[in-house]
Amino acid sequence: MYQELKGDENFSDKYATWVIAYCLDTDSFFVTNQRHFFWEYNDEFQCENDAVNYFRNHLNEFRNARKEILSNCGGWSIDKDLFLENTKEIRGTWL
């Protein structure tokens, strides 16, 4: 899953588009305009809000991605609720 950085790239670079990423350490998804995370959704979004809304409306897709990640990496319960860092949402409901 790791991709080598190009010579002119840094981990802290910000991009014009946003992605949905997953952090294995915290077992959570997040939306960011940075890149090069452990797992990133393939599609890019024009703004943070578009990515957050996509996540909310496609929870099963992200549950399946998380199950696949954890079945290969272990560490967390596969049946645990999804968490989105940006909004502090668990499975689409506000905390």
Side-chain angles (χ1 to χ4, degrees):
M1 288 190 183
Y2 177 77
Q3 295 179 359
E4 189 172 332
L5 293 176
K6 296 176 187 169
D8 61 344
E9 288 183 308
N10 292 302
F11 284 110
S12 60
D13 287 350
K14 299 201 185 235
Y15 294 80
T17 57
W18 295 72
V19 295
I20 301 168
Y22 175 78
C23 178
L24 186 60
D25 292 343
T26 60
D27 187 28
S28 60
F29 289 91
F30 58 97
V31 172
T32 181
N33 61 346
Q34 294 178 304
R35 299 294 188 274
H36 310 293
F37 296 98
F38 171 77
W39 180 90
E40 295 177 16
Y41 189 66
N42 288 333
D43 292 351
E44 296 181 9
F45 303 88
Q46 294 304 307
C47 66
E48 180 181 15
N49 195 46
D50 287 351
V52 167
N53 286 332
Y54 187 89
F55 180 87
R56 287 176 177 156
N57 292 316
H58 296 87
L59 292 176
N60 283 335
E61 190 172 348
F62 293 100
R63 276 190 195 99
N64 291 337
R66 184 177 171 274
K67 283 181 183 180
E68 184 177 332
I69 293 166
L70 294 181
S71 66
N72 291 316
C73 298
W76 297 100
S77 169
I78 290 175
D79 296 325
K80 185 178 166 197
D81 291 340
L82 297 179
F83 184 74
L84 182 62
E85 293 282 343
N86 301 63
T87 59
K88 308 295 186 227
E89 287 180 75
I90 297 175
R91 223 197 282 182
T93 57
W94 295 97
L95 285 177

